[in-house]
Amino acid sequence: MSRLSESVVRAMEILKGSDLAADYTVARLLEETYRRRSLDLSDLSPAEQAALVEGRAINVIPSASGLAEKITAAQAEGRSLVVKYGIDPTSPDVHLGHSVPIIIASRFQRMGHHVVFIIGDVTAKIGDPSGRSSERPPLTDADIAHNLSGYQQQVTPFIDFTRADLRFNGEWLNKVSLPELVGILAHVPVSMTLQRDDFRNRLAAGDGLSVAEFVYSVVMALDSVAITADVELGGVDQLLNLQMCRKVMEIREQTPEIIITTPLIEGTDGTGAKMSKSKGNYVGLSSSPDEIFGRVMSIPDHLIEPYLKQLTEWTDEEITTVTGRVADGTAHPMAVKRILAGEVTAALHGLKAAEAARAEFTARFSKRTFGEAQNLPAVSFQEHAETPLVTLLTQVLGFAASNSAARRVAAQNGLRLIAEGVDGEQHTTQLDEGSTQQALSALVGEAELTGEATFYLKAGRKIARIDV
Amino acid sequence: MSRLSESVVRAMEILKGSDLAADYTVARLLEETYRRRSLDLSDLSPAEQAALVEGRAINVIPSASGLAEKITAAQAEGRSLVVKYGIDPTSPDVHLGHSVPIIIASRFQRMGHHVVFIIGDVTAKIGDPSGRSSERPPLTDADIAHNLSGYQQQVTPFIDFTRADLRFNGEWLNKVSLPELVGILAHVPVSMTLQRDDFRNRLAAGDGLSVAEFVYSVVMALDSVAITADVELGGVDQLLNLQMCRKVMEIREQTPEIIITTPLIEGTDGTGAKMSKSKGNYVGLSSSPDEIFGRVMSIPDHLIEPYLKQLTEWTDEEITTVTGRVADGTAHPMAVKRILAGEVTAALHGLKAAEAARAEFTARFSKRTFGEAQNLPAVSFQEHAETPLVTLLTQVLGFAASNSAARRVAAQNGLRLIAEGVDGEQHTTQLDEGSTQQALSALVGEAELTGEATFYLKAGRKIARIDV
């Protein structure tokens, strides 16, 4: 029995029989599954390794059995596979969506293979136009350096960089000559590049598709040639780019790499849009534990299962057990979501931070008292007694971006004044749109104030304590 | 009055008043017009220079006045224009069609500008696909060296290579790095490349258009950047490529060159197809004087005017005069064609060779005796008395490509046995299809043979002497 199987046995025991809302149970469970993120998987057979990868992939091309054979052949040669993951540092922030293929990279690393991160300092200047409807301005060297600076740190929770390579593709691409590139382009049919829907759409729309974007995939394929990649990982939106890598390796008479694509996870808003920074429906890898926990808690229930699949080391068996318990009513979806939020927070900040975030979240958003919450922002009554509520929300607390946004929260019944007694009993006053113009003193004066109660101001999901 | 104008005055005198079929007249005329091929044109004003170029061009972009201004500006700077003409050595033979832009290059050279021939040793390996419906196999270095070896010699009659540059684009293209090329491609819209009908057609047909062909025009545009061209010449089929040169020079912040395109001349067969080696309707620059003269004589009358325009240094005034004389019946088209054939032959082999070719042609194909023809192939009667006629025509003389082709010539009344007496009197026997199976002795025996006659075998326009 492999180390992974042993862990699954222990976790299944918890998952099947315990109260998944109980703090103690969850702590034990997370401890078990969190440990898997650094579990040595080298005791898995080639077929088990391939299965562990395929189970979370959309494509394994040419096949998972081909991957198993490649692992077997490499073992016979006494070497590990070279696993490529390329990133173009086109944005300073990495989010959970980016971590999906990186988690697969982490599995390869723990299975004993060699992960090479390729930083596309040259390709970033071309800009892969996937999913964009128009051209992106080319990045400067300063942009790239800035974007890259945080990248490694943000990805470190998933990858042991002491055992992985981090290489810049300028290292070889700057040395490629025009005749060499053109010699490769001579074997690449235009039809292969025009398979991309976004290219065809932009051409049809008369949009400024540049010839550089057209050759992008060939250029990034040279990375695979340079490191003689055995395997490449990427989001499924990279499928055509990855197939070009296989094509170019063939042109250069190398064995084409096996390509593995992973799903694009949906954003936290649950609208079906993929997670992206521009849509604001993302969880940043550099966010604080509380932010991460809260963001994951905000997802709709139907995303619990795909998030468990793509963001944790849970097996299908474990996920099926949990969803079964939700279905038969022995576990509440909210409880499972808390476990998921703990998983994600632990992955990025460790178990203790995850537990603290869980407690904080519970205190803040559950039926517990606000008094238990540690990190609430506070506003001084003495200082702001005469400040209009709208100013408090926008300028002092930053709970609303503008006066109109503050009024909108009120109009949607999201603005409340809550008095909490020492016994935890709460008295809530819903504030209407008009009250945003009133001063704090007028509002608190209206409430039934006793010396023993603490006042809280709640705007949407944001809460602040009023220190009298 | 410029040197050219003086020459025109002298030629016009001949063209207007003389018998254009008379050998003496033609010799005087050719001497005058042939001399123009090396006439110093530097006494022309910038406007006259531009007009001399524009008069034989299809496009002058942005304009002929722009060209005149550029010449004026260069003169003010004390420099001459850099005039680019690029060739990819994709074929060992150059024909009259290729000479059309080269004749314009020659004019630039004689106007005092600096002509740079760019030999596309790198671009030849991509292969510009103009007018081809499918991909050409890439050329090897050996192909290129072979193709190039004859090129300079074949073009030498038009260009003084002691004053022109001959440069290989590998000199700079081999040094262009991938990021540099891609940086330029980023500013080139795909739509500009897709303007080519042949690209669009091949894409629509699912034909294997390669990405290398797609970037060809950008690569050849780097030649203009490398030599900072002021002017570029090319056939009108190169228009889109030349426009890319302007675009890329702009991207590289150079003043875009002026582009000048020349017509594609029709093939000698007069079917309207452009002159091309694959169609066999061409006049090779390396052909013998007799071949050149004969080939030009074979063109239909309607090509006389365009050939005079594109292949000689005649002015519009002179051409109009000649065509006027044909129209009013004071000159026979055949006489003008002989002048044209003399012009072309003289251009490539000099005046004396042109005169000899004219005499030879007259002897062979006119009403003169065959005995005056110098270079007729001969077949020995003693050796081939028993050889069937068909074998003589195919294997011995090479007058027909196959037995069926030989029979076809007979069926079309093109096969004749001609006995010519010492007095020049000819007795012709038309041979029918059946006689192709007969032996030479049977045919000659049937003819009225006297010891004084010489026998000739005529198959279509080809003639051989039978040596008894």
Side-chain angles (χ1 to χ4, degrees), chain A residues 193-244:
Chain A
T193 310
L194 274 182
Q195 281 176 354
R196 291 176 69 138
D197 287 336
D198 59 323
F199 277 7
R200 283 207 305 268
N201 295 343
R202 284 173 59 194
L203 269 179
D207 203 349
L209 180 66
S210 83
V211 179
E213 292 175 286
F214 218 70
V215 304
Y216 173 88
S217 60
V218 177
V219 173
M220 67 153 273
L222 291 174
D223 297 348
S224 296
V225 171
I227 65 165
T228 334
D230 292 302
V231 172
E232 177 159 6
L233 303 169
V236 71
D237 56 344
Q238 293 294 312
L239 179 60
L240 290 170
N241 283 343
L242 301 188
Q243 278 170 332
M244 186 65 83

Side-chain angles (χ1 to χ4, degrees), chain B residues 70 104 106 171 176 179 197 205 247 251 255-256 275-276 290 293 323 344 354 357 401 406 421 430:
Chain B
K70 198 155 197 161
I104 306 298
S106 154
E171 188 190 323
V176 172
D197 287 336
K247 172 81 178 175
I251 293 169
T255 306
M275 185 175 281
S276 90
D290 286 350
F293 199 98
T323 52
V344 175
Q430 195 167 299

Side-chain angles (χ1 to χ4, degrees), chain A residues 6 12 49 75 91 106 180-181 221 227 242 248 255 319 349 358 378 385 398 406 440 461:
Chain A
E6 287 166 1
M12 283 295 286
Q49 292 186 21
Q75 283 178 347
S91 163
S106 154
E180 198 178 343
L181 175 62
I227 65 165
L242 301 188
V248 172
T255 306
I319 294 170
H349 291 280
R358 179 180 164 94
L440 188 58
R461 310 187 65 158

Side-chain angles (χ1 to χ4, degrees), chain B residues 5 22 63 83 167 345 422 433 450:
Chain B
S5 302
S63 67
V83 179
R167 296 178 73 179
T345 310
V422 283
E433 230 182 320
T450 75

